[in-house]
Amino acid sequence: MLDRKKYILASNWKANFTLEEAINWFEIVSRLNYPDLRIIAAIPYPYIHYFATRYNNIDVFSQNISHVLGGAYTGEVTISMLKSVGFRGSIVGHSERRHLFNESNQIINKKVLILQENSTEIILCIGETLEERKEGKTERVLYDQIISALNGFSRFELLTVAYEPVWAIGTGIPISPHDLTEAERFIRKIFEDKFGVKNIILLYGGSVDKEFAKVIRNQTTLDGALIGSASWKPHNFEEIIRIFVEH
Ligand code: PEP
């Protein structure tokens, strides 16, 4: 039998979707049942309970989580709230959180450890800015982001890493296949050398569309993709899904 890889495709909704649009998306995407594919939907907090309790073939994640456990922190959404509404895990360290909301590597580390403590899955986003890439600092930045986020972490079975170059997110310009292969090799080597972890689950994110899905599928050994805008229209997302499962 062919040893087929189980791909992961994660849709990051960001601050989009009404409840009606969200129901439409789940209705269409949940009809796609492929044994070699795991679909994750990282959706806004208010919708988590509704979808986590209704659709069992799409794993519902949050896009963020508080670094505090509870108390006088107006507006924060904590691990115990999210667990009580059935979420499966959370994205941590998305570049929009890092850059627009000033999340430091230390805060990201706190979030990772809270998720570990609660045996909950983590999609850890890492990635360099354009300036850092131009200055030849990509490897340094990725190394620092990984090492600081995972200080005190040991439950690698809970972890998925998403390499998302900041300059490729939402710009329509994905990384070149050559640079992606280099980054993949570098990230995998950090996990092997520093943590003794072979085959860390590794996704790419940043302007993934149908065409770039083919690059990931056919020119890398990545485990899938984290996808923003190209996943918001369910039929577009379906086309990307088909590239991973039908080629
Ligand atoms: C993202 O938000 O993680 C992302 C990769 O967005 P886009 O696919 O729109 O670049």
Side-chain angles (χ1 to χ4, degrees), residues 12-14 91 94-96 125 164 168-172 204-209 226-232:
N12 177 15
W13 290 11
K14 311 196 188 199
I91 293 179
H94 191 280
S95 75
E96 287 150 18
C125 296
E164 300 205 303
I169 297 177
T171 58
Y204 167 79
S207 297
V208 172
D209 57 8
L226 176 55
I227 309 170
S229 61
S231 69
W232 298 339

Side-chain angles (χ1 to χ4, degrees), residues 206-227:
S207 297
V208 172
D209 57 8
K210 241 170 66 178
E211 287 317 305
F212 205 72
K214 290 179 195 157
V215 171
I216 297 173
R217 172 74 176 72
N218 301 326
Q219 297 183 41
T220 74
T221 50
L222 290 163
D223 298 282
L226 176 55
I227 309 170

Side-chain angles (χ1 to χ4, degrees), residues 166-182:
V166 179
W167 48 271
I169 297 177
T171 58
I173 308 166
I175 194 169
S176 72
H178 172 266
D179 289 349
L180 180 55
T181 305
E182 295 272 282

